[in-house]
Amino acid sequence: VVDGALPAGLSLNPTTGVLSGTSTAAGNYNFSARFTASNGCLGEKRYFFSVIACQPFTLGPEPLPRALVNTLYSQQLTTTGGTPNYTYTLIGGSPPAGITLSSGGLLSGTATTTTPANFTVRSTDSNGCTGTKTYTLIVCSPITVNPATAPNGTVGTPYSQAFSQTGAGASPVWIFLARWPMRIRSLP
């Protein structure tokens, strides 16, 4: 290096010409590198470059919405922080069979098995900074709840209706929501 300055933490090996090290400060840098041949002839070049300070960023969503086996699934992954545009790659594991990850972060396809999948995604921003997240994608079987409708009740009269399901396994947990369209009427 004959002019200018290298970023703190980097050095140019005078024998191999390799610029290496770990930069400790962000900023814009310029320097001139000179090559001297064994016969004394010279070559020189000026370089300009930036050292980027990568900011932490977060991948989402968390958790992933569940998929339904043999049904089209589509979920866009997101990145907050860093500098757009982002590129997404799988760096460990894989989504469920039938679902793929695009470089734009779209998880899509049709799951062909109900086996849950764990996989790790790397998001790389336009400066080369990266963030990673490990996801679990659960694939459900279709569940049918019976009966199709609940019979009406009568005020002052005991009411009983059994509900059942198919497709959820042996130990379902029932949660009734206020949206259930049940009517209770009163007799004169």
Side-chain angles (χ1 to χ4, degrees):
V1 175
V2 292
D3 183 39
L6 296 175
L10 296 185
S11 63
L12 180 63
N13 184 305
T15 306
T16 63
V18 174
L19 178 63
S20 63
T22 301
S23 179
T24 59
N28 297 315
Y29 299 89
N30 61 75
F31 67 95
S32 294
R34 178 183 295 156
F35 172 77
T36 305
S38 59
N39 63 3
C41 295
L42 303 174
E44 193 170 300
K45 175 105 176 157
R46 188 134 187 99
Y47 293 95
F48 300 88
F49 69 100
S50 296
V51 174
I52 306 298
C54 291
Q55 300 299 317
F57 50 90
T58 305
L59 280 74
E62 176 61 35
L64 285 173
R66 287 175 168 76
L68 187 61
V69 72
N70 299 321
T71 302
L72 184 62
Y73 181 83
S74 181
Q75 176 61 52
Q76 179 64 50
L77 300 184
T78 59
T79 301
T80 55
T83 305
N85 294 323
Y86 304 99
T87 303
Y88 297 83
T89 52
L90 285 171
I91 60 170
S94 62
I99 294 180
T100 60
L101 174 67
S102 75
S103 63
L106 182 65
L107 274 172
S108 63
T110 301
T112 58
T113 177
T114 57
T115 304
N118 297 310
F119 53 96
T120 303
V121 175
R122 174 183 292 141
S123 175
T124 305
D125 76 359
S126 58
N127 290 323
C129 299
T130 63
T132 60
K133 181 164 193 62
T134 299
Y135 288 101
T136 298
L137 182 53
I138 296 171
V139 181
C140 299
S141 296
I143 298 172
T144 302
V145 177
N146 294 305
T149 61
N152 294 330
T154 303
V155 171
T157 304
Y159 182 89
S160 177
Q161 173 61 53
F163 292 89
S164 64
Q165 59 76 31
T166 57
S171 301
V173 175
W174 291 94
I175 300 173
F176 286 93
L177 305 174
R179 294 176 292 192
W180 187 263
M182 179 184 280
R183 294 186 310 248
I184 297 181
R185 64 188 167 127
S186 143
L187 295 176

